[in-house]
Amino acid sequence: MAYTETTTTGYGTRVGNSFRAIGSGFLLFVAGTALLWWNEGRAVKTEKMLEEAGSAYVEMANPDKKDASLEGELICGTALATTEDSLSDAQFGIGAKAISLRRTVEYYQWVEHSTEQKEDKLGGKEVTTTTYTYSKEWVSRPIESASFKDPAYQNKNTVLATFENDEQWAENVSWGAYKLNESLIHSISSREGVDLAIAEDLLKQFDRNTQTAYERFYGVQKTQQPTEQPAQQPAIPDSIKALLPDSVKAALDAQKAINDSINNAMAQAENKKDLEYIHQASNVLYFGRVPGSPEVGDVRITFEKVVPAKVTVMAVVDGDTFKPFKAKNGKRFQTLVMGKKTGDEIIEDAQDANSMWTWALRILGVLMVIGGLKGIFGFVETILKVVPFIAGIFGWGIGLVCSIIGIAWSLIVIAIAWLFYRPLLGISLLVLAGFLVWVFAFKGKDKLKELAAKAKNKNGAPVPAPAEAE
């Protein structure tokens, strides 16, 4: 059931907050402007660097053999990335010969969610109704439930065990006859589960500690029901069995096969050391009573490794290893992708990624600029909140003006940045920004005159038109 909380903010407090928001709005405006400027420079430099790399690289036909003629060259080649390094998780006694070994910990917890609904009241007050809902979810960190708003959910969270995430990487990874540097190694993503082989003594210790934590929180021990053994059929003497019809013999043999299968399965389950509070399944170690029906406080740990895989590398040969390619403008580039790819495909993918990031940061920058302007001029709407209807009209107008000015300002910033690199496009953007300003400054005035004339014709009485600027 949802829990609601209602708070009221007075008119004076709201006005004061709106004036204090001017400073943060200005900072947001400046930050958005700086982001737009930096992003355009980054995009152009990256594009030129990729063009330079695309015309400079050479295909490495046989990475399994060192080629002295490729020293200092930007190469693109495909080979198997492998290692002889052994990595281990000392806390759990798990080891593997792998490029990486990772431990990921999750906790089953109550999670608080909130939604707000604001309502302006006559006189300038604001009533905020916050609705809190709660759900059980797997999360990466324990959640402190003592601060939950709903008293019914306070102190409802616990954890049966606490562990940290951990990730280790091999230092020596071979790629054909060469070695990969640290950055390239960390780009390999051929992950798969680790077969768990945790010592029985350690599992029993985990089980005792988890049981203690479970009983401390839940108060009573919930014991599992013992698994029933399949009923054993009495053996039939061969002398009697020989007298039975063939159909009966077949039925008896089938029943014996079923019983043997059940017994073997139970023996294998026993060998897994599936304890009362600790369970192993594939590459997951589970702390709790029933993995299929989690309770608050349960913990699951997933173990993964990065295994040898075929990868494509584009980087500069530096002895028996690699280093980033450095373009004339100072930008650096090296990459590792899974599987086999050509150099042209890698460059094309990098250009697509650069374009995607450029537009994403542009949109973010424009939104920051508009948000900053709204923060600066938002006090006007707040002052008018004594009459919510009027404030709503002015608020819509302020939002529209801030959006238009923000977009125009952003285009100007982007255009000036591009003037340093591509003057033709920069000039085009400046013309577009000027057009928006002209439409807003001059056509807006004409629109007001038109609306005033319509109001006069409708009411039959003259309506004063906006005064002309002298």
Side-chain angles (χ1 to χ4, degrees):
M1 186 175 181
Y3 177 82
T4 59
E5 184 180 62
T6 302
T7 58
T8 302
T9 305
Y11 176 70
T13 301
R14 296 182 70 186
V15 172
N17 292 338
S18 67
F19 277 106
R20 283 190 290 270
I22 294 176
S24 59
F26 179 77
L27 292 176
L28 186 61
F29 176 82
V30 172
T33 301
L35 175 62
L36 290 170
W37 179 273
W38 171 83
N39 179 51
E40 297 308 317
R42 179 208 60 79
V44 173
K45 289 181 180 179
T46 301
E47 183 177 347
K48 289 188 174 182
M49 177 271 292
L50 291 174
E51 291 175 354
E52 186 177 339
S55 61
Y57 82 90
V58 295
E59 292 285 353
M60 178 180 279
N62 185 15
D64 294 327
K65 183 179 179 181
K66 291 183 181 178
D67 187 347
S69 66
L70 295 177
E71 179 68 24
E73 295 285 347
L74 174 64
I75 62 89
C76 178
T78 302
L80 181 68
T82 185
T83 185
E84 293 298 321
D85 288 3
S86 294
L87 306 177
S88 62
D89 188 325
Q91 191 168 8
F92 292 89
I94 296 172
K97 184 183 290 185
I99 296 173
S100 175
L101 184 63
R102 181 167 69 177
R103 177 210 307 168
T104 304
V105 186
E106 297 174 283
Y107 304 87
Y108 199 64
Q109 301 278 272
W110 281 108
V111 180
E112 182 179 68
H113 304 277
S114 63
T115 56
E116 285 188 350
Q117 183 176 1
K118 298 180 182 293
E119 183 180 3
D120 293 322
K121 297 294 184 180
L122 193 64
K125 292 182 179 180
E126 181 184 59
V127 177
T128 303
T129 302
T130 307
T131 302
Y132 298 92
T133 56
Y134 300 84
S135 62
K136 297 177 183 178
E137 302 174 17
W138 286 104
V139 295
S140 59
R141 292 284 180 185
I143 296 177
E144 180 56 61
S145 57
S147 59
F148 284 174
K149 293 296 184 179
D150 190 345
Y153 289 91
Q154 291 176 359
N155 300 312
K156 287 290 187 180
N157 275 341
T158 188
V159 291
L160 299 182
T162 304
F163 300 98
E164 295 294 330
N165 292 335
D166 185 60
E167 187 169 23
Q168 304 174 45
W169 288 89
E171 296 181 358
N172 303 296
V173 177
S174 299
W175 183 79
Y178 298 84
K179 293 182 179 180
L180 299 179
N181 59 37
E182 181 179 1
S183 177
L184 295 175
I185 292 174
H186 288 199
S187 298
I188 305 174
S189 58
S190 51
R191 295 193 178 276
E192 65 178 37
V194 177
D195 292 331
L196 301 184
I198 304 175
E200 182 178 357
D201 291 343
L202 183 57
L203 288 175
K204 289 182 178 179
Q205 179 183 338
F206 284 149
D207 190 69
R208 289 192 297 267
N209 294 340
T210 304
Q211 179 179 352
T212 300
Y214 186 93
E215 294 175 358
R216 183 187 302 118
F217 182 74
Y218 286 101
V220 294
Q221 179 180 5
K222 297 182 179 180
T223 57
Q224 288 181 325
Q225 295 297 325
T227 304
E228 294 183 359
Q229 298 286 340
Q232 298 293 329
Q233 296 291 337
I236 300 176
D238 292 338
S239 59
I240 298 177
K241 187 175 181 181
L243 301 175
L244 297 174
D246 291 339
S247 59
V248 176
K249 291 179 183 179
L252 291 174
D253 290 339
Q255 182 62 47
K256 184 177 182 300
I258 293 174
N259 289 340
D260 291 342
S261 176
I262 293 175
N263 290 332
N264 290 335
M266 293 182 63
Q268 292 176 3
E270 182 67 22
N271 291 335
K272 291 182 180 178
K273 301 179 180 64
D274 197 22
L275 306 178
E276 186 173 0
Y277 291 88
I278 300 296
H279 310 272
Q280 290 183 194
S282 183
N283 63 322
V284 177
L285 184 64
Y286 194 94
F287 293 70
R289 295 190 65 257
V290 184
S293 181
E295 299 177 272
V296 171
D298 285 6
V299 181
R300 67 183 180 192
I301 306 176
T302 305
F303 297 88
E304 296 175 302
K305 62 182 178 181
V306 172
V307 299
K310 181 181 291 187
V311 299
T312 301
V313 170
M314 180 175 278
V316 174
V317 178
D318 184 22
D320 65 346
T321 185
F322 300 95
K323 65 181 181 180
F325 169 76
K326 185 177 181 180
K328 294 178 181 179
N329 60 13
K331 294 284 289 185
R332 297 177 183 270
F333 175 74
Q334 68 173 355
T335 188
L336 179 149
V337 297
M338 302 304 298
K340 181 176 177 60
K341 281 197 172 185
T342 65
D344 290 345
E345 289 174 332
I346 290 177
I347 294 297
E348 183 179 353
D349 289 344
Q351 289 172 336
D352 291 341
N354 180 47
S355 177
M356 179 190 69
W357 276 107
T358 300
W359 279 104
L361 292 175
R362 279 174 181 164
I363 294 172
L364 177 60
V366 172
L367 293 177
M368 290 174 65
V369 168
I370 294 174
L373 290 172
K374 289 182 178 179
I376 293 172
F377 298 102
F379 71 93
V380 177
E381 179 184 0
T382 304
I383 291 175
L384 298 173
K385 287 291 186 180
V386 288
V387 183
F389 174 73
I390 296 178
I393 295 175
F394 273 84
W396 181 85
I398 292 172
L400 178 62
V401 171
C402 289
S403 297
I404 295 175
I405 295 177
I407 293 173
W409 173 260
S410 299
L411 290 174
I412 291 172
V413 172
I414 293 173
I416 294 175
W418 275 90
L419 282 175
F420 289 97
Y421 307 101
R422 295 178 183 177
L424 182 61
L425 181 57
I427 293 173
S428 300
L429 289 175
L430 283 174
V431 171
L432 177 59
F435 175 75
L436 289 175
V437 173
W438 176 77
V439 169
F440 175 71
F442 296 98
K443 289 297 183 180
K445 183 176 66 175
D446 295 339
K447 189 65 176 178
L448 288 176
K449 289 182 178 179
E450 181 182 346
L451 291 174
K454 289 182 178 179
K456 178 179 179 181
N457 294 335
K458 181 178 180 180
N459 300 328
V463 177
E468 294 284 348
E470 295 181 0

